[in-house]
């Protein structure tokens, strides 16, 4: 029996989330246990959640999750890097998680892993540090995209919000030396 984690907001829980849970169960068996690590009252954009955390957790449990844990407030309101890092840290600390599922616009795990590995490289880090020292007011996302394109060419997966979060999950798994296996599910339908 496998145990999978999903780091989420479920703001609100919708058919895309249900599809993700059904995909986990279909690919790893109906006995696959699913642990949701979910933001509480506030979301990654710093906005209050549409429904309270109890209602969202109940929706997740009714639709196939086995356990819902709360991602602590400072991290649930943080940008993608810290949101992902905290969620992966919790999943890894549990010690019994086999898989980390996440949505992705491209849905290609190998491609995401290549980009994540490049973004974690010393070459990329040094180029970012040099660029920041020259332009202190530059937006981090724009700067990161420009440097990545300069070093490795155009990579459209750097623009999708779910792909950006997926990259941060992969970077966090590498950072912690986690044995959790990542699993990308191609998003279908709208952006959110």
């Amino acid at each position: 029996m496998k145990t999978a984690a999903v780091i989420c907001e479920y703001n609100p829980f919708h058919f895309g989330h249900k599809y993700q849970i059904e995909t986990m169960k279909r690919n790893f068996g109906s006995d696959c246990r699913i642990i949701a690590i979910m933001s509480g009252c506030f979301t990654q954009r710093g906005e209050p959640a549409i429904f309270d955390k109890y209602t969202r957790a109940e929706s997740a449990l009714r639709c196939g999750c086995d356990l819902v844990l709360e991602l602590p407030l400072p991290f649930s309101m943080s940008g993608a890097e810290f949101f992902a890092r905290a969620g992966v840290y919790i999943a890894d600390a549990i010690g019994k998680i086999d898989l980390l599922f996440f949505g992705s616009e491209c849905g290609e795990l190998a491609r995401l892993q290549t980009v994540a590995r490049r973004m974690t490289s010393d070459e990329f880090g040094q180029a970012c540090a040099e660029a920041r020292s020259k332009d202190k007011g530059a937006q981090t996302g724009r700067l990161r995209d420009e440097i990545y394109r300069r070093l490795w060419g155009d990579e459209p997966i750097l623009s999708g919000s779910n792909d950006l979060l997926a990259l941060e999950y992969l970077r966090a798994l590498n950072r912690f030396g986690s044995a959790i296996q990542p699993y990308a599910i191609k998003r279908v339908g709208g952006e959110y």
Side-chain angles (χ1 to χ4, degrees), residues 15-16 63 71 73 86 88 96 130 140 147 153 157 164 171 182 185:
F15 288 118
C63 290
L71 184 65
L73 178 67
V88 168
K96 301 289 183 187
E130 288 172 13
T140 302
I147 292 167
I157 65 172
L164 290 172
R171 292 177 67 197
I185 297 176

Side-chain angles (χ1 to χ4, degrees), residues 53-127:
K53 62 187 176 184
Y54 304 106
T55 301
R56 293 174 12 251
E58 182 179 352
S59 295
L61 293 169
R62 287 177 183 257
C63 290
C65 287
D66 298 290
L67 175 67
V68 178
L69 303 174
E70 185 173 352
L71 184 65
L73 178 67
F75 305 106
S76 68
M77 289 180 56
S78 294
E81 179 182 358
F82 296 105
F83 179 90
R85 192 183 300 174
V88 168
Y89 178 83
I90 292 168
D92 198 54
I94 291 170
K96 301 289 183 187
I97 306 290
D98 302 299
L99 307 158
L100 176 66
F101 275 76
F102 48 83
S104 160
E105 283 88 3
C106 83
E108 300 173 32
L109 182 60
R111 191 169 161 203
L112 289 163
Q113 287 173 317
T114 296
V115 175
R117 187 174 51 256
R118 288 174 177 171
M119 289 177 68
T120 308
S121 71
D122 290 339
E123 180 181 15
F124 186 75
Q126 288 172 341

